[in-house]
Amino acid sequence: MKRNILLALLVLPATYRAQAQAAAPLTAHLDKVSLTVTLGPDGRPAYAVSYGPKTVLKPSRLGMSFADGKGFDGPLVLAGSETKDVDETWQPVWGEVKDIRNHYQQLTVHLRQPAADGRKLDVVFRVFADGVGFRYEFPRQSGLQYFTVQDEFTEFNLPANHKAFWIPGDYDSNEYAYTTSRVSEVNTTPIKAIQLKAPANRIQTPLMLKSDDGLYVNIHEAALVNYPAMFLNVDTKTFGLSSQLVPDATGTGAKAYLQAPEHTPWRTIVVSDKAPEVLASKLILNLNEPSKIADPSWIKPQKFVGVWWEMQVSRGSWNYADTFNIKLAGTDWSKLKPNGRHMANTAHVKEYIDFAAAHHITGVLVEGWNVGWEDWANNWKEEVFDFVTPYPDFDVDELQRYAASKGVNIIMHHETSSSVTNYERRQDAAYRFMKQHGYTSVKTGYVGRIIPRGEHHDGQWMANHYVRTAQKTADNQIMVDMHEAVRPTGLHRTYPNWLACESARGNEFNAFSEGNMPEHETILPFTRMMGGPMDYTPGIFKIQGFADAKLKRQVHTTLAKQLALYVTMYSPLQMAADLPENYQPHLDAFKFIEDVPVDWDDTRILAAEPGDYLTTVRKAKGRDEWYLGSITDENARQQPLKLDFLTPGQRYEATIYADGKGASWDKNPTAYRITRQVVTSKSALTLQLAAGGGAAVSFKPVK
Amino acid sequence: MKRNILLALLVLPATYRAQAQAAAPLTAHLDKVSLTVTLGPDGRPAYAVSYGPKTVLKPSRLGMSFADGKGFDGPLVLAGSETKDVDETWQPVWGEVKDIRNHYQQLTVHLRQPAADGRKLDVVFRVFADGVGFRYEFPRQSGLQYFTVQDEFTEFNLPANHKAFWIPGDYDSNEYAYTTSRVSEVNTTPIKAIQLKAPANRIQTPLMLKSDDGLYVNIHEAALVNYPAMFLNVDTKTFGLSSQLVPDATGTGAKAYLQAPEHTPWRTIVVSDKAPEVLASKLILNLNEPSKIADPSWIKPQKFVGVWWEMQVSRGSWNYADTFNIKLAGTDWSKLKPNGRHMANTAHVKEYIDFAAAHHITGVLVEGWNVGWEDWANNWKEEVFDFVTPYPDFDVDELQRYAASKGVNIIMHHETSSSVTNYERRQDAAYRFMKQHGYTSVKTGYVGRIIPRGEHHDGQWMANHYVRTAQKTADNQIMVDMHEAVRPTGLHRTYPNWLACESARGNEFNAFSEGNMPEHETILPFTRMMGGPMDYTPGIFKIQGFADAKLKRQVHTTLAKQLALYVTMYSPLQMAADLPENYQPHLDAFKFIEDVPVDWDDTRILAAEPGDYLTTVRKAKGRDEWYLGSITDENARQQPLKLDFLTPGQRYEATIYADGKGASWDKNPTAYRITRQVVTSKSALTLQLAAGGGAAVSFKPVK
């Protein structure tokens, strides 16, 4: 379908005729979702989105300014438009479902500055059944080659004072608890900054919204490449949201250095009147480019244990010595006095390898294996780690030999302390070291302030770093898991070796802070995880009593809920985060972690409400087994289930890992009960979820 | 010798006693140079320098502030001091002389903040017979580990309104012509900025000064490592100079991120009443650390020709195609349409190899060999070059084979376009490529604005980059020549593979601008070259007529002066910069370039006056041959010579390459005359130097 209704305009003299243009809206739609694009009386383009009869976004401005002053922030003229329909299906390397349908109507709007030789801008919209994505495209043109984006003026104007699930717009951290409030009540001021204090009205995406008339709206972006992340400034009076890009280090307010032809990331609006459909949306993945990895056979979704949680709960240390004020160059690490609490030692790592091997866990992460942890953080220091030198008590070769003999892979750890220049100049050597020693996966970390100094975690330079790292690890057939990176935007479609990110407030916060309230895991799938898998590190069985009692620290969960998270939080990389000794008393419950897959042929969201509850069931990759997770917030609740997702006629043994009698996250978190029963697709179950609790169920065919 | 005269003070209560301290000056001296250090009534330390009865520097403040506010800018107390005498001799890997005497008296002044647990600072002075060096040292201490230098308050208070040879304090370029003026007249305002406009009173080091009573004073620094370069703010009323460090990218005014124990570079004051002694000074070299290269046998001083000047004079291009707006990734370079002016093509490079081989030149530089030159400059673009991909018409392997067969080395070229993050992440691969293809030397370039954006060429981050690059090339047994780098500070002692820098206004400016006036080369040795060798690229024989006549471009020289520069400008790396075809008509004169060594056993400065004239003679490394260069500014002059440097009793054939009759830089630059005569150490000669001219003489023993 070609849409040429505006060609008439083009025969008019190429002067600015805002009125004529304003009279000719451009539209696209699919199912209930409709898009309208207009040029206003002031020549500024705007778009609006509706869902059936309901307004999703009122007319919302499009545009951007450039550092050279000749941007697309003034009046523009319409130079044409066209639409096309696409309906295709593709298979991800790994994921929640086997096949993904990419069905949309595309509207391309060609704009230019009023002068005959004005600069040209395209805005490309894709309207899906579950929302809209659009991006700015800068075609190859003589009048626009190199340019610097100063500001983007994209708006998302909400029609009413929706409920919002938001975190402050810190350019350097997304590790915040979510606040649930009306849009009019957004105010980051009382919230303690993790890295960089945000203005009162600046928040992050993915932003989850719910209207009083039951519309669920999620605003985010897809394919963040060569551009800063988009934050949102909230107008608490009008309920308008506007794009705020992360500035660079120059102090000039410059946001992105681009060269045409180029385009921005996609701005995404996912919408439905059913919360589960938001979670099921593949809109963001569909807006990303296909995989760049021709042969992905070396990419393996995986579960892992690791030398990690014991440092989070201060039972041990990353550092080998307590000699602080160390310089990377010139220190003889063998001469340091060991502090006796260094967990990444050969003997201790072997215990993890033994546990992993005994329980069909394929990975063992080891943090603190390499020199530099004596004073790695908070000093804005460039030379902290070299990524290739083990501490004296960590025997790389012996551990590789031992792990290989047990069928286990050790996962490399590269904490950069955000000294990214240092990491970049050492990446080649670091990955060479990994290849030489048989490592196939790496967890990276970006704690602290970025070097190049003045840059931000979520700015263009760092966005490019993450993508370069995904590409460079792919070039070396290495899988990567990034912590403290910018929030994901579906780039794992393009780089399927990029298994997961943390990039949100993980389970670890329960170890060392006031923690994550029980509702947290019911919100994450609607927010952070809209962009991609999270390395949340579930599976804590010792829920209380791991820290000094006076600190009142605990994981805000029941044990059964920890199991459920392996299903409700999708990731191809799932940690069993607790210590082996804490799993030993509960090996019956650990059986679910042992069994649960990390790759799936199908996924059904059975029940969901952000901030309240979530029930998800998934079908194992390549076999007729189903795994279900159900979680609730601080409220106990019943979750009735119809098992009609099961294969008709097949009998399954359902193993139900439920909260035990009297269980609750605060009073009795480790009470659980495991029961078994035979079910079919015609069966029904009712799960009893304790306060802050959950349930996990495996369904295996009865032969 | 231990100096404990101040121990009496230490038994006083450790409170602030400025008066008592002020009463006890600390001194050190050697020959005519004397140093006095005092604590003023305000508790601030100061130093003063004299030369015999003459004041070199009046009492001048010492101190620095930190970003955390607890620096050494307030009152300090004296915690002790000591002196020691050092007299040793060392041998450089290459240089102007075979042996270098390092003779000084050292005074270490221990200071601390007034509180009993106040932070400690040492100031270490070394007094040489030809000047003073001093630096700030931060000892290991519990109260000062990581800190950020906000400002350094070092002053150099001149006693009078000296004549100064200065360039503007551009943090990103040193490629300026020198202005000669009184200190009171320093004003950068009328001077067009090369990169970053400097305030009116900010100038660069090395700063050459001359007092009305005949004292020559040079202010610079030695061993610039992990610190920004020092600029000077000039008080045109008091003739005080004060340190201005280059800020980092944060916009907070932060200058250096340090970790104790650490020290600043040395601040240097070279002084003499004889101009030649300033040029002969080894003070800056002596203040640098010894060589870090255990086996330097692979380091070879060298002469080279290159595919270069023809691009400077616009006869050809670095770029292969005229298709601008290229992206490094995704461009198929073989599909570009060649512009027919790409000089770095296999056949043309072979002509240079042939010429080099025929004239005992060991190196051939080739610029423009690698993809990315289509739009490499002025776009602040991060991905410009990859350093490993040749243009389609440059056959790496064939040229290496051909060059090797002729005993010639091709010199690699890495223009970074100042995208240093890009270079750093590709350096490993780039040097691997060099090793794989037999390259042993690299010329690097830093044209344009630095990435990491907001950093400066002369800031701490880049200072570290240059040193890292010297180290990394050394690790790969590669020699390096850096263009557009920070001005040298004697680090070639520590990294003798770091043969030279450009880092000043080179001969190339004659090709594409109003050029360098005849005095320029008489000033450079007193300024830029105090810090180390310069790749000035002398040897232009086609002095006029290389550009459109309307542009009035020429090299401001006679041909004979071009020869003299090979002696007057010391460098272990000397280019014969003109085109082979321009040498062909003057092969008799080219013989001097062919003969002149680039490594020496001895050097004598026979006559020198900054801005006017310079005559230098040097003895070839390991043989009894002497080479003399004599140059003048725009004034013709006679230079009488006593040849008493020659070995007594030995007869030499002197070959004199002199300006010809009627020669002058503007009217008749290529008139020269070559004469030969036999001389001994008792002979005398008088050289006739034309306006803007010079003379070169070789002395070879008569068997």
Side-chain angles (χ1 to χ4, degrees):
Chain A
M1 175 171 62
K2 288 273 179 188
R3 184 177 294 255
N4 290 315
I5 57 170
L6 283 141
L7 280 182
L9 279 174
L10 296 178
V11 302
L12 294 174
T15 51
Y16 171 51
R17 290 173 176 272
Q19 291 306 326
Q21 291 159 3
L26 303 162
T27 63
H29 59 89
L30 192 66
D31 291 358
K32 294 184 184 167
V33 179
S34 295
L35 165 79
T36 306
V37 179
T38 53
L39 272 181
D42 57 359
R44 284 180 171 165
Y47 75 106
V49 178
S50 60
Y51 185 83
K54 295 180 181 173
T55 298
V56 179
L57 297 177
K58 297 193 297 180
S60 300
R61 184 180 173 191
L62 300 164
M64 61 177 58
S65 61
F66 292 165
D68 75 354
K70 294 184 284 181
F72 297 104
D73 44 343
L76 300 174
V77 294
L78 186 65
S81 72
E82 65 265 348
T83 64
K84 68 171 178 176
D85 292 326
V86 171
D87 191 355
E88 62 192 13
T89 298
W90 58 279
Q91 288 73 42
V93 173
W94 44 258
E96 297 179 271
V97 295
K98 190 177 183 178
D99 297 298
I100 294 177
R101 185 180 181 191
N102 182 26
H103 182 201
Y104 61 86
Q105 183 170 89
Q106 176 168 301
L107 166 66
T108 300
V109 180
H110 303 289
L111 300 165
R112 68 165 167 72
Q113 295 165 343
D117 61 349
R119 290 172 163 185
K120 290 176 284 187
L121 172 71
D122 291 344
V123 187
V124 178
F125 296 88
R126 291 185 183 170
V127 179
F128 299 81
D130 56 0
V132 174
F134 64 90
R135 70 181 184 188
Y136 300 92
E137 298 190 353
F138 311 95
R140 184 179 288 276
Q141 54 192 299
S142 59
L144 184 63
Q145 294 185 358
Y146 294 92
F147 57 103
T148 302
V149 175
Q150 192 72 12
D151 279 303
E152 182 183 316
F153 299 114
T154 305
E155 292 175 349
F156 306 87
N157 290 328
L158 305 175
N161 191 11
H162 294 346
K163 182 158 79 166
F165 301 84
W166 57 268
I167 58 175
D170 183 334
Y171 292 154
D172 286 289
S173 178
N174 30 46
E175 300 192 351
Y176 288 86
Y178 289 90
T179 299
T180 306
S181 80
R182 292 283 172 174
V183 170
S184 63
E185 293 158 351
V186 165
N187 178 17
T188 72
T189 309
I191 299 170
K192 183 163 177 278
I194 302 263
Q195 288 248 12
L196 187 71
K197 186 68 183 170
N201 70 328
R202 190 171 78 207
I203 61 176
Q204 302 199 29
T205 74
L207 173 66
M208 191 65 214
L209 299 155
K210 185 183 179 184
S211 74
D212 286 348
D213 59 355
L215 215 51
Y216 297 86
V217 178
N218 183 282
I219 295 173
H220 188 37
E221 60 183 308
L224 173 58
V225 177
N226 197 27
Y227 207 75
M230 179 181 70
F231 288 66
L232 296 172
N233 291 321
V234 180
D235 187 325
T236 54
K237 301 275 193 298
T238 65
F239 324 130
L241 312 174
S242 54
S243 168
Q244 169 67 54
L245 303 179
V246 180
D248 86 333
T250 59
T252 62
K255 305 304 191 306
Y257 299 82
L258 301 182
Q259 177 186 2
E262 187 52 283
H263 53 73
T264 68
W266 296 93
R267 280 65 188 92
T268 62
I269 305 112
V270 173
V271 57
S272 178
D273 50 12
K274 296 182 190 68
E277 287 189 356
V278 171
L279 298 184
S281 174
K282 297 293 173 282
L283 184 149
I284 287 172
L285 266 187
N286 277 325
L287 289 170
N288 275 271
E289 295 296 311
S291 172
K292 288 181 185 280
I293 299 175
D295 171 13
S297 60
W298 52 274
I299 299 172
K300 311 279 190 202
Q302 55 191 285
K303 287 176 283 187
F304 66 106
V305 292
V307 178
W308 178 73
W309 185 257
E310 26 194 350
M311 285 89 91
Q312 298 292 352
V313 297
S314 300
R315 271 183 43 147
S317 68
W318 282 270
N319 44 303
Y320 167 78
D322 287 345
T323 310
F324 304 113
N325 197 20
I326 288 280
K327 294 190 184 190
L328 181 62
T331 296
D332 182 347
W333 305 90
S334 71
K335 298 245 170 77
L336 294 188
K337 186 179 158 211
N339 63 13
R341 300 183 306 117
H342 180 234
M343 294 291 106
N345 66 76
T346 304
H348 193 52
V349 172
K350 283 187 177 179
E351 294 169 17
Y352 277 84
I353 293 171
D354 290 343
F355 180 83
H359 296 282
H360 307 103
I361 306 279
T362 57
V364 174
L365 169 71
V366 187
E367 295 202 0
W369 72 278
N370 60 323
V371 300
W373 289 91
E374 276 64 27
D375 49 1
W376 67 286
N378 305 320
N379 299 316
W380 222 4
K381 176 180 171 179
E382 186 149 6
E383 301 271 308
V384 178
F385 298 108
D386 71 2
F387 312 102
V388 296
T389 306
Y391 277 123
D393 59 349
F394 184 87
D395 187 332
V396 173
D397 291 324
E398 167 59 13
L399 282 168
Q400 286 298 336
R401 186 201 62 74
Y402 190 79
S405 77
K406 303 242 172 178
V408 168
N409 286 303
I410 302 179
I411 298 176
M412 172 53 76
H413 184 232
H414 290 166
E415 173 56 51
T416 67
S417 68
S418 286
S419 177
V420 185
T421 48
N422 178 56
Y423 187 42
E424 288 206 340
R425 56 185 170 253
R426 296 176 189 271
Q427 271 178 307
D428 279 356
Y431 300 149
R432 206 155 51 232
F433 179 92
M434 285 181 62
K435 300 303 281 183
Q436 282 163 353
H437 294 93
Y439 290 87
T440 58
S441 303
V442 61
K443 171 183 171 180
T444 62
Y446 299 91
V447 172
R449 284 186 289 178
I450 295 293
I451 304 177
R453 293 190 183 91
E455 297 290 350
H456 295 290
H457 282 71
D458 295 352
Q460 182 193 25
W461 197 88
M462 283 301 294
N464 282 335
H465 167 77
Y466 306 126
V467 172
R468 271 197 302 273
T469 297
Q471 181 66 60
K472 198 179 265 284
T473 49
D475 293 343
N476 287 283
Q477 298 201 342
I478 290 171
M479 292 167 273
V480 64
D481 167 25
M482 300 186 194
H483 281 231
E484 298 88 23
V486 70
R487 50 202 174 277
T489 57
L491 284 164
H492 54 292
R493 177 181 179 187
T494 311
Y495 302 98
N497 66 311
W498 191 351
L499 295 183
C501 286
E502 181 187 46
S503 306
R505 191 176 178 93
N507 216 3
E508 67 186 23
F509 271 77
N510 288 303
F512 55 68
S513 77
E514 72 281 9
N516 305 336
M517 294 308 107
E519 68 173 11
H520 188 59
E521 294 97 345
T522 71
I523 299 173
L524 279 172
F526 285 95
T527 51
R528 155 68 180 79
M529 299 185 75
M530 290 298 290
M534 178 172 176
D535 182 17
Y536 184 72
T537 73
I540 301 303
F541 280 16
K542 189 175 175 70
I543 290 164
Q544 295 173 325
F546 51 73
D548 188 318
K550 277 179 291 189
L551 295 170
K552 295 186 181 167
R553 286 183 186 154
Q554 76 158 99
V555 187
H556 299 74
T557 184
T558 64
L559 191 150
K561 186 179 184 180
Q562 289 292 301
L563 302 182
L565 296 178
Y566 288 85
V567 181
T568 58
M569 309 191 97
Y570 169 67
S571 177
L573 185 74
Q574 289 279 26
M575 188 174 198
D578 213 337
L579 283 54
E581 68 185 69
N582 294 337
Y583 288 135
Q584 289 299 343
H586 307 292
L587 288 179
D588 55 349
F590 191 79
K591 184 64 166 60
F592 183 81
I593 298 177
E594 202 172 321
D595 285 351
V596 68
V598 279
D599 197 11
W600 309 96
D601 271 346
D602 200 6
T603 287
R604 314 279 174 87
I605 314 296
L606 302 181
E609 182 65 24
D612 294 342
Y613 57 83
L614 172 58
T615 299
T616 302
V617 66
R618 306 185 195 269
K619 180 171 177 291
K621 191 86 182 172
R623 58 188 202 276
D624 189 23
E625 289 178 12
W626 294 78
Y627 292 81
L628 182 145
S630 182
I631 62 172
T632 180
D633 60 3
E634 69 282 5
N635 300 308
R637 67 182 86 221
Q638 284 193 341
Q639 179 61 57
L641 299 174
K642 291 205 288 184
L643 305 187
D644 53 3
F645 50 83
L646 294 172
T647 307
Q650 175 66 53
R651 297 171 67 240
Y652 297 83
E653 181 181 61
T655 305
I656 304 165
Y657 303 76
D659 290 323
K661 196 166 172 159
S664 74
W665 69 271
D666 51 348
K667 299 291 188 337
N668 189 13
T670 53
Y672 62 91
R673 198 166 65 115
I674 303 172
T675 58
R676 288 179 181 79
Q677 66 187 87
V678 172
V679 298
T680 71
S681 65
K682 296 184 175 157
S683 306
L685 286 178
T686 297
L687 301 174
Q688 302 290 342
L689 311 179
V697 188
S698 64
F699 301 91
K700 298 185 186 182
V702 177
K703 300 281 153 76
Chain B
M1 176 170 62
K2 288 275 177 186
R3 186 176 293 256
N4 290 315
I5 58 169
L6 282 142
L7 282 181
L9 277 174
L10 296 178
V11 301
L12 296 173
T15 51
Y16 170 50
R17 291 173 174 271
Q19 291 305 326
Q21 292 159 5
L26 302 162
T27 63
H29 60 88
L30 192 65
D31 293 357
K32 294 184 186 168
V33 180
S34 294
L35 165 79
T36 306
V37 180
T38 52
L39 273 182
D42 57 357
R44 284 181 171 164
Y47 74 105
V49 178
S50 59
Y51 185 82
K54 296 179 180 172
T55 297
V56 179
L57 297 177
K58 296 193 296 180
S60 299
R61 184 179 173 191
L62 299 165
M64 61 177 57
S65 61
F66 293 163
D68 73 355
K70 294 185 284 180
F72 297 104
D73 45 342
L76 301 174
V77 294
L78 185 64
S81 72
E82 66 264 348
T83 65
K84 68 171 179 177
D85 291 327
V86 171
D87 191 355
E88 63 191 13
T89 298
W90 57 280
Q91 288 73 43
V93 173
W94 43 260
E96 298 179 89
V97 294
K98 191 177 183 178
D99 297 298
I100 293 178
R101 185 178 180 193
N102 182 27
H103 182 200
Y104 61 86
Q105 183 170 89
Q106 177 167 302
L107 166 66
T108 302
V109 179
H110 303 290
L111 300 166
R112 67 166 166 71
Q113 295 165 344
D117 61 349
R119 290 173 163 184
K120 289 177 286 187
L121 171 71
D122 292 342
V123 187
V124 178
F125 297 87
R126 291 185 183 170
V127 179
F128 298 81
D130 57 358
V132 175
F134 66 90
R135 70 182 184 187
Y136 300 92
E137 299 190 354
F138 312 94
R140 184 180 286 276
Q141 54 193 297
S142 58
L144 183 64
Q145 294 185 358
Y146 295 92
F147 57 103
T148 302
V149 175
Q150 192 72 12
D151 278 303
E152 182 184 315
F153 299 114
T154 305
E155 293 175 349
F156 306 87
N157 291 328
L158 305 175
N161 191 11
H162 295 348
K163 182 158 79 165
F165 301 83
W166 57 268
I167 58 175
D170 182 334
Y171 292 154
D172 286 290
S173 179
N174 29 46
E175 300 192 352
Y176 287 86
Y178 289 89
T179 299
T180 306
S181 80
R182 292 283 173 174
V183 170
S184 63
E185 293 158 351
V186 165
N187 178 16
T188 72
T189 309
I191 301 170
K192 183 162 178 278
I194 303 262
Q195 287 248 10
L196 188 70
K197 186 70 182 168
N201 69 329
R202 189 170 78 206
I203 61 177
Q204 302 199 28
T205 75
L207 173 66
M208 189 66 214
L209 299 155
K210 185 182 180 185
S211 72
D212 287 348
D213 58 356
L215 215 51
Y216 296 86
V217 179
N218 183 282
I219 296 173
H220 188 37
E221 62 183 308
L224 173 58
V225 177
N226 197 27
Y227 207 75
M230 178 181 71
F231 288 66
L232 296 172
N233 291 322
V234 179
D235 186 325
T236 55
K237 300 275 193 299
T238 65
F239 324 130
L241 313 173
S242 54
S243 167
Q244 170 67 54
L245 303 179
V246 180
D248 85 333
T250 59
T252 63
K255 306 303 190 306
Y257 299 83
L258 301 182
Q259 177 185 2
E262 187 53 283
H263 54 74
T264 67
W266 296 93
R267 279 66 188 92
T268 62
I269 304 111
V270 173
V271 58
S272 177
D273 50 11
K274 298 183 189 67
E277 288 189 357
V278 171
L279 297 184
S281 175
K282 297 293 174 282
L283 185 149
I284 287 172
L285 266 187
N286 276 325
L287 290 170
N288 275 271
E289 296 295 312
S291 171
K292 288 180 185 281
I293 300 176
D295 172 12
S297 60
W298 51 274
I299 299 172
K300 312 275 190 205
Q302 55 190 286
K303 286 176 282 187
F304 66 105
V305 293
V307 178
W308 180 73
W309 185 257
E310 26 194 352
M311 285 88 91
Q312 299 292 353
V313 298
S314 301
R315 272 182 43 146
S317 68
W318 281 270
N319 45 302
Y320 168 79
D322 287 345
T323 310
F324 304 112
N325 197 19
I326 287 282
K327 295 190 185 191
L328 181 62
T331 295
D332 183 347
W333 306 91
S334 70
K335 298 246 170 77
L336 294 188
K337 186 179 160 211
N339 63 14
R341 300 182 305 117
H342 180 234
M343 293 292 107
N345 66 75
T346 304
H348 193 50
V349 172
K350 283 186 177 178
E351 294 169 17
Y352 277 84
I353 293 171
D354 290 342
F355 180 82
H359 296 284
H360 307 103
I361 306 279
T362 55
V364 174
L365 169 72
V366 187
E367 294 202 1
W369 71 278
N370 59 323
V371 300
W373 289 92
E374 278 63 27
D375 49 0
W376 67 286
N378 305 321
N379 299 317
W380 222 4
K381 175 180 173 180
E382 186 149 5
E383 302 271 309
V384 178
F385 298 109
D386 71 2
F387 312 102
V388 296
T389 307
Y391 277 123
D393 60 349
F394 184 87
D395 187 332
V396 173
D397 291 325
E398 167 59 15
L399 283 168
Q400 285 298 336
R401 186 201 62 73
Y402 189 79
S405 77
K406 303 243 172 178
V408 168
N409 287 303
I410 302 180
I411 298 175
M412 171 53 76
H413 183 232
H414 290 165
E415 174 55 51
T416 67
S417 69
S418 285
S419 177
V420 185
T421 47
N422 179 54
Y423 188 43
E424 287 206 340
R425 56 185 170 252
R426 296 175 190 270
Q427 271 179 306
D428 279 355
Y431 300 149
R432 206 155 52 234
F433 179 91
M434 285 181 62
K435 301 302 281 182
Q436 283 164 353
H437 294 94
Y439 291 87
T440 58
S441 303
V442 62
K443 171 183 171 179
T444 62
Y446 299 91
V447 172
R449 283 186 290 179
I450 296 292
I451 303 177
R453 293 190 183 90
E455 298 289 350
H456 295 290
H457 283 72
D458 296 352
Q460 182 192 26
W461 197 88
M462 283 301 294
N464 282 335
H465 167 76
Y466 306 126
V467 172
R468 270 197 302 271
T469 297
Q471 180 67 61
K472 199 180 264 284
T473 48
D475 293 344
N476 287 284
Q477 299 201 341
I478 290 170
M479 292 167 273
V480 64
D481 167 26
M482 300 186 194
H483 281 230
E484 299 89 22
V486 69
R487 50 202 174 277
T489 56
L491 284 164
H492 53 294
R493 177 180 179 187
T494 311
Y495 302 98
N497 65 310
W498 192 350
L499 296 183
C501 287
E502 182 186 45
S503 306
R505 192 175 177 93
N507 216 3
E508 67 187 21
F509 271 78
N510 287 304
F512 55 68
S513 77
E514 72 281 10
N516 306 334
M517 294 307 108
E519 68 173 11
H520 188 60
E521 295 96 346
T522 71
I523 300 173
L524 279 173
F526 286 94
T527 51
R528 155 67 180 79
M529 298 184 77
M530 290 297 290
M534 178 171 176
D535 182 16
Y536 185 71
T537 72
I540 300 303
F541 280 14
K542 190 174 175 70
I543 290 163
Q544 296 173 325
F546 52 73
D548 188 317
K550 277 180 290 189
L551 295 171
K552 296 189 180 167
R553 285 183 188 156
Q554 77 158 97
V555 187
H556 299 74
T557 184
T558 64
L559 190 149
K561 185 179 184 179
Q562 290 293 300
L563 302 182
L565 295 178
Y566 288 86
V567 180
T568 59
M569 310 192 96
Y570 169 67
S571 178
L573 185 74
Q574 290 279 27
M575 189 174 197
D578 213 339
L579 283 52
E581 67 186 68
N582 294 336
Y583 288 134
Q584 290 298 345
H586 306 292
L587 288 179
D588 53 350
F590 192 78
K591 183 66 165 61
F592 183 81
I593 299 177
E594 202 170 322
D595 286 351
V596 68
V598 277
D599 198 11
W600 310 96
D601 272 346
D602 200 6
T603 286
R604 314 278 173 87
I605 313 297
L606 303 181
E609 181 65 25
D612 295 341
Y613 56 85
L614 172 58
T615 300
T616 303
V617 67
R618 305 185 197 269
K619 180 170 177 290
K621 191 85 182 172
R623 58 186 201 277
D624 190 21
E625 288 179 11
W626 293 79
Y627 292 82
L628 183 146
S630 183
I631 62 171
T632 181
D633 59 3
E634 68 282 5
N635 300 307
R637 67 182 86 222
Q638 283 192 339
Q639 179 61 55
L641 298 174
K642 290 204 290 185
L643 305 187
D644 53 5
F645 51 83
L646 294 172
T647 306
Q650 175 66 53
R651 298 170 69 241
Y652 297 83
E653 182 180 62
T655 305
I656 303 165
Y657 302 77
D659 290 324
K661 195 166 174 162
S664 73
W665 69 271
D666 50 349
K667 301 288 187 340
N668 189 11
T670 53
Y672 62 91
R673 197 165 66 113
I674 303 173
T675 58
R676 288 180 182 78
Q677 66 188 89
V678 172
V679 297
T680 71
S681 64
K682 296 184 176 157
S683 307
L685 285 178
T686 297
L687 301 174
Q688 302 289 342
L689 311 179
V697 187
S698 64
F699 301 91
K700 298 185 188 183
V702 177
K703 301 280 153 75

